[in-house]
Amino acid sequence: MNKLIQLLLLVFAVLAVLDAAAPALGRLAGALVPLVTVLFIGVAVLRAVWFYTR
């Protein structure tokens, strides 16, 4: 096999793995949205407290 065929097979395998993992990755992304939101609000509040109590 030459390099082109190996590359195409590798790309196909990676796409197949991503296709199989897509639902789990979607659920993970959905679960991270509230966590990131809470962390952002916490950091913003801490920065505001630091600013006003400097």
Side-chain angles (χ1 to χ4, degrees):
M1 283 197 296
N2 61 14
K3 297 273 187 192
L4 179 61
I5 294 174
Q6 286 178 344
L7 178 64
L8 289 175
L9 288 174
L10 177 65
V11 168
F12 181 73
V14 168
L15 287 176
V17 168
L18 284 176
D19 183 50
L25 292 174
R27 286 191 306 271
L28 178 64
L32 287 177
V33 169
L35 176 64
V36 170
T37 304
V38 168
L39 287 175
F40 176 76
I41 291 171
V43 169
V45 168
L46 286 175
R47 292 288 297 180
V49 168
W50 177 70
F51 177 77
Y52 287 114
T53 60
R54 202 165 15 155

